[in-house]
Amino acid sequence: MDDLPDCGAASRCRLKTSIYYFTGTGNSLAAAKRVAAELENADLIPIASLRNTTGRISPQADRVGIVCPVYDCGVPVMVAEFAERLDLSRTGYVFAIVTMGGMGVSALHQLNGIIRERQGRGLDAGFAVGMPGNFPPLYRPASGKKRDEILAAADKRLGDIAGVIGSGTAAPPGFAPISLLAKAITYGRFARNVHGGDKDFSVSDACTGCGTCAKVCPAGNITLERGRPVWNHRCELCCACLHFCPIEAIQLHVMRGTEKRGRYRHPDLRVADMQAQRGNEA
């Protein structure tokens, strides 16, 4: 992880900050809330609430941030599409925070490239924060004491990051050759196929038709038909449906699968938070 410049709370000013976030299991929302709480005059805006709008997005803020998870060493496709629409001509300071279970500084470089291509400037600061991983087909999510230790370390780091942002200090993404190589190998295929990746989800006969999966999907990709979820090929592979199902009736059939491999969502995340992420559509 990159080293953070030393800056204290006394150096922070009352500039308006807009933080745009995307979350599937709550890590990125928790990160966005942590930073917003440390900054004065900061608001949180869900990226998913803007997905069906058109045209440029012009924040009315002195500082603008993007907070999102890392998927296949890059950013979620919805986030990349959002970044392409940003007009930052009136923004003085731009930052990004990515949350990750493994490596993912390459996702910061991706955002930096998108913004530079369209704005003629890159990120002023970019940060990668380790948080509990949540992709059971690849690894079992951390739980218990291990999960709590990871979250405590992330909370401390996010406090330091807020100090850097509050002082307007430059902190460009660090050099990450392994992460960039992994992204070059995996992300292109992920981005091309992600919306149809929901073909690999299934639901068992244990499903009660509660509809939680439809409520939490940030892409509005799930509908209930005859009391069972149907995925409609607008998937972001955030796996919110998988992790929120109260009886683990939903499975994802890739790699090692998800049967009896654990579930995760940030302990502060609620169904209502996920519904709010979709804005007026929820």
Side-chain angles (χ1 to χ4, degrees):
M1 293 184 182
D2 45 344
D3 293 328
L4 298 176
D6 183 20
C7 54
S11 66
R12 300 175 195 177
C13 58
R14 293 182 177 274
L15 298 177
K16 178 175 175 55
T17 304
S18 289
I19 301 176
Y20 294 88
Y21 74 90
F22 175 92
T23 198
T25 58
N27 286 340
S28 292
L29 176 56
K33 285 182 175 180
R34 177 72 169 91
V35 171
E38 291 291 323
L39 300 174
E40 298 182 6
N41 196 19
D43 56 12
L44 298 178
I45 304 166
I47 291 172
S49 70
L50 302 169
R51 76 186 193 284
N52 291 329
T53 63
T54 59
R56 303 291 284 171
I57 298 169
S58 301
Q60 304 300 306
D62 306 289
R63 294 184 293 231
V64 170
I66 299 173
V67 184
C68 68
V70 173
Y71 294 165
D72 274 61
C73 293
V75 299
V77 169
M78 187 185 293
V79 175
E81 293 172 346
F82 160 79
E84 290 171 354
R85 296 171 57 199
L86 271 178
D87 177 1
L88 298 169
S89 59
R90 290 177 286 182
T91 301
Y93 185 89
V94 183
F95 66 92
I97 300 170
V98 296
T99 60
M100 58 189 190
M103 58 184 175
V105 175
S106 49
L108 293 170
H109 286 276
Q110 180 187 2
L111 280 173
N112 187 59
I114 291 171
I115 292 170
R116 184 175 297 282
E117 179 180 350
R118 285 158 176 76
Q119 306 293 319
R121 56 173 291 182
L123 295 171
D124 294 293
F127 312 94
V129 180
M131 296 189 81
N134 45 58
F135 194 61
L138 187 59
Y139 45 74
R140 295 179 185 272
S143 60
K145 182 180 179 180
K146 182 178 180 181
R147 182 202 70 176
D148 293 344
E149 289 174 347
I150 295 171
L151 289 173
D155 185 73
K156 182 180 183 303
R157 176 164 167 77
L158 287 162
D160 293 339
I161 287 170
V164 176
I165 295 167
S167 68
T169 304
F175 184 52
I178 297 176
S179 180
L180 288 166
L181 177 60
K183 178 179 178 293
I185 295 171
T186 66
Y187 185 78
R189 181 178 179 183
F190 165 81
R192 288 191 301 271
N193 299 320
V194 64
H195 294 324
D198 56 12
K199 71 181 186 304
D200 294 316
F201 285 101
S202 72
V203 60
S204 74
D205 291 338
C207 175
T208 64
C210 69
T212 299
C213 52
K215 293 175 183 176
V216 301
C217 178
N221 182 48
I222 299 174
T223 54
L224 290 185
E225 297 183 11
R226 298 180 181 179
R228 296 172 67 85
V230 173
W231 288 263
N232 294 290
H233 312 311
R234 299 188 301 273
C235 189
E236 291 286 329
L237 280 180
C238 73
C239 293
C241 59
L242 178 81
H243 291 288
F244 268 90
C245 179
I247 56 172
E248 298 187 14
I250 292 175
Q251 306 296 338
L252 177 57
H253 304 281
V254 297
M255 299 178 182
R256 299 177 182 178
T258 56
E259 185 76 35
K260 298 181 180 179
R261 290 186 57 80
R263 300 290 188 269
Y264 169 85
R265 65 176 188 260
H266 191 279
D268 295 335
L269 186 66
R270 301 293 180 264
V271 171
D273 297 318
M274 297 300 291
Q275 288 182 284
Q277 186 175 199
R278 297 223 310 264
N280 293 332
E281 293 182 36

